[in-house]
């Protein structure tokens, strides 16, 4: 990671690939970093919208207030919002620079416009990176999704890239993980939230 050099995807390449946008199923606008900070992000949405491919991206949610009109203008099909806690204290500690209150406010406004206009798009989900210090908040995140009016909560496990994160990995916590997953699933059924969960370690095929 020490040799990582920040960059942005070239629009020359993006336009080069444009003829494929009627052949492929989906264009995923994301990589390492926050995609909505790309200086041509809205132009990318506009270009894809001239074709049949779905539009998908995952965001930290902090710039959704600036993009809310473009989401509808260019028919964004799906976007995910990365949150790592159901409370500002947990989320904002793990995700530096994130503000869960602002994310909630942004999403409520998008959901309001969506309902007001009778649109079925965009499909919105939370993407939650589960680790020892936040997994207990997963049920509350399902409640938050329901309060906002978004459709889904997707859970992934933390991958530790160095020793400092190793203590957060959920390996060996199968009993606790299973109990929390079951509680979250029951809540999801009650509140109408789709839950996408990874296998509990040792239970995959």
């Amino acid at each position: 990671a020490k040799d990582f050099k920040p960059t942005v995807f070239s629009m020359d390449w993006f336009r080069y690939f444009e003829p494929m946008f009627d052949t492929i199923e989906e264009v995923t606008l994301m990589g390492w970093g926050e995609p909505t900070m790309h200086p041509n992000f809205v132009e990318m949405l506009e270009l894809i919208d001239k074709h049949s491919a779905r539009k998908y991206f995952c965001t930290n949610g902090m710039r959704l207030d600036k993009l809310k009109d473009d989401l509808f203008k260019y028919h964004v099909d799906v976007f995910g919002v990365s949150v790592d806690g159901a409370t500002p204290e947990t989320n904002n500690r793990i995700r530096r620079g994130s503000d869960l209150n602002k994310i909630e406010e942004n999403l409520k406004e998008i959901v309001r416009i969506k309902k007001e206009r009778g649109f079925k798009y965009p499909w919105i989900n939370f993407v939650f990176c589960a680790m020892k210090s936040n997994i207990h908040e997963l049920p509350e995140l399902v409640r938050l999704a329901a309060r906002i009016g978004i459709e889904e909560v997707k859970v992934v496990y933390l991958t530790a890239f160095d020793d400092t994160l190793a203590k957060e990995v959920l390996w060996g916590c199968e009993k606790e993980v299973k109990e929390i997953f079951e509680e979250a699933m029951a809540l999801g059924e009650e509140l109408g939230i789709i839950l996408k969960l990874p296998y509990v370690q040792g239970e995959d095929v």
Side-chain angles (χ1 to χ4, degrees), residues 138-190:
L138 177 58
E140 188 55 38
L141 189 65
V142 173
R143 289 190 182 94
L144 178 61
R147 286 200 303 274
I148 292 170
I150 66 175
E151 289 88 352
E152 179 182 274
V153 173
K154 178 182 178 181
V155 179
V156 297
Y157 290 128
L158 172 71
T159 301
F161 290 103
D162 58 34
D163 291 342
T164 59
L165 286 174
K167 65 181 182 298
E168 283 279 16
V169 173
L170 287 161
W171 186 262
C173 304
E174 290 82 6
K175 184 174 181 291
E176 179 189 5
V177 168
K178 194 169 184 177
E179 287 173 359
I180 292 170
F181 280 4
E182 286 173 355
E183 182 185 348
M185 281 190 291
L187 264 175
E189 286 181 19
E190 178 190 331

Side-chain angles (χ1 to χ4, degrees), residues 30 56-60 78-85 91 95 107 124-130 134 138 141 145 150 152-157 196:
M30 56 190 285
Y56 168 71
F57 64 93
C58 191
T59 175
N60 62 23
V78 185
F79 71 87
V81 182
S82 296
V83 292
D84 292 337
N91 176 75
R95 301 188 61 83
L107 287 173
I124 307 168
N125 67 6
F126 278 142
V127 182
F128 176 77
C129 184
N134 72 358
L138 177 58
L141 189 65
I150 66 175
E152 179 182 274
V153 173
K154 178 182 178 181
V155 179
V156 297
Y157 290 128
K196 284 188 179 171

Side-chain angles (χ1 to χ4, degrees), residues 19-173:
M20 301 179 192
F21 294 171
D22 285 311
T23 306
I24 59 174
E25 289 184 6
E26 181 176 280
V27 180
T28 302
L29 296 177
M30 56 190 285
W32 289 97
E34 172 54 36
T36 65
M37 289 187 69
H38 192 290
N40 303 101
F41 184 77
V42 173
E43 184 184 350
M44 289 177 171
L45 294 179
E46 183 179 6
L47 282 171
I48 306 165
D49 198 44
K50 295 174 181 176
H51 304 277
S52 62
R54 287 192 307 266
K55 293 167 280 300
Y56 168 71
F57 64 93
C58 191
T59 175
N60 62 23
M62 293 298 289
R63 300 187 74 250
L64 287 171
D65 53 334
K66 296 174 176 65
L67 290 168
K68 65 178 183 289
D69 293 329
D70 296 312
L71 296 174
F72 298 104
K73 184 176 181 180
Y74 301 118
H75 310 93
V76 170
D77 300 276
V78 185
F79 71 87
V81 182
S82 296
V83 292
D84 292 337
T87 62
E89 293 74 22
T90 301
N91 176 75
N92 303 357
R93 173 181 56 79
I94 294 171
R95 301 188 61 83
R96 291 176 194 169
S98 183
D99 180 345
L100 189 62
N101 289 327
K102 181 178 180 180
I103 292 166
E104 180 178 353
E105 185 181 306
N106 289 344
L107 287 173
K108 280 181 174 175
E109 177 63 8
I110 290 165
V111 169
R112 184 192 67 76
I113 295 169
K114 182 177 166 180
K115 287 179 178 174
E116 191 177 81
R117 298 182 186 177
F119 293 152
K120 294 190 180 301
Y121 67 91
W123 175 276
I124 307 168
N125 67 6
F126 278 142
V127 182
F128 176 77
C129 184
M131 58 193 86
K132 284 182 181 174
S133 63
N134 72 358
I135 191 167
H136 61 283
E137 292 193 5
L138 177 58
E140 188 55 38
L141 189 65
V142 173
R143 289 190 182 94
L144 178 61
R147 286 200 303 274
I148 292 170
I150 66 175
E151 289 88 352
E152 179 182 274
V153 173
K154 178 182 178 181
V155 179
V156 297
Y157 290 128
L158 172 71
T159 301
F161 290 103
D162 58 34
D163 291 342
T164 59
L165 286 174
K167 65 181 182 298
E168 283 279 16
V169 173
L170 287 161
W171 186 262
C173 304

